[in-house]
Each structure stands twice: as structure tokens, then as C-alpha cells.
Amino acid sequence: MGLGDIVQKAMYLGIGVASYAGEKAGEKLTELRSQVQKLADEMVARGEMSSEEARRFVDEMVQRAQQPSVSAPTSESEKPTEPRKIEILDDDEPAPTQTTTTVDEMRQQVADLQEELRRLKKN
């Protein structure tokens, strides 16, 4: 086996790996879009956002997934947008003036929400 054969096989291997990685990335992007669309549909069904907001939400999430991660913005126009703040009010309780939730309570809330999401996915 000559040097030319090794170079040719290495090139074919590189092309194959790049092709496989592209296919996998496409599959993951399709899967992400599907999951984000389901979440948006649920939020529309519960009246938490309009269908137009849901469409923009899905498009933005897919666009973010396609962009390479950047450690720090390089210019003023590239600053990441701040997520909109959502306040959930319970009809039975007056609105809190300041949230004093501890980190452990937040972690428990996240765990509870993840469990509820798993339960909803099974149905």
C-alpha cells in the first residue's frame, strides 16, 4: 500500500465522517424543532402565548441551535437578548412584592416540573 493510497483513504474517511456528522446534526435539528413545537403548542393550548408568538419562539429556538456558541459578544449589535420575565400569579394569593425563594426551593420546583413534563409526555 503506497502513500497515495493512504492519503486517498484518509480523505475518504474524512468525507465520510463529515457526511455522517451532517446527517446526525440534521436529525438532531429536526428532533429539536419537533420538541420545541410541541412545547409551543402546549403553551398556546393553555393560553400562555399566541400562535404568532409560538411560531416566532420555535423559529428563534431553531435559529439559536444552528448558530455556533459564542463565548462573548464581539460588538454592540451581537448582545444576547434578555429573556422576557414571566410572573406567575396565583388567584388565591396576593402578588408577592419580592421573591425570597432559595436555590434549593428552585431546584425542587424544576425537578417537579420535569417530572410533570415526563408524565405529560407519557399521556
Side-chain angles (χ1 to χ4, degrees), residues 23-77:
E23 288 176 18
K24 284 297 180 183
E27 290 173 9
K28 291 295 181 184
L29 189 59
T30 302
E31 182 181 326
L32 172 69
R33 178 178 277 283
S34 173
Q35 290 176 352
V36 170
Q37 185 65 51
K38 285 179 186 178
L39 175 63
D41 290 343
E42 288 177 19
M43 292 178 78
V44 168
R46 290 186 290 201
E48 295 177 5
M49 68 170 49
S50 70
S51 58
E52 180 63 25
E53 288 175 319
R55 185 188 61 77
R56 283 192 308 251
F57 173 72
V58 171
D59 291 344
E60 184 179 317
M61 287 295 127
V62 170
Q63 184 180 14
R64 283 185 183 180
Q66 289 175 331
Q67 293 176 349
S69 60
V70 178
S71 60
T74 57
S75 71
E76 197 67 29
S77 64

Side-chain angles (χ1 to χ4, degrees), residues 83-121:
R84 73 176 187 201
K85 296 178 181 177
I86 300 174
E87 185 176 353
I88 301 173
L89 301 176
D90 198 5
D91 291 339
D92 297 336
E93 298 177 11
T97 56
Q98 188 174 14
T99 305
T100 57
T101 307
T102 66
V103 173
D104 291 333
E105 290 171 337
M106 287 182 186
R107 286 187 177 136
Q108 183 59 46
Q109 288 174 353
V110 168
D112 293 343
L113 290 171
Q114 287 173 335
E115 182 58 37
E116 182 178 348
L117 182 60
R118 279 190 218 103
R119 184 181 53 79
L120 289 172
K121 283 184 179 179

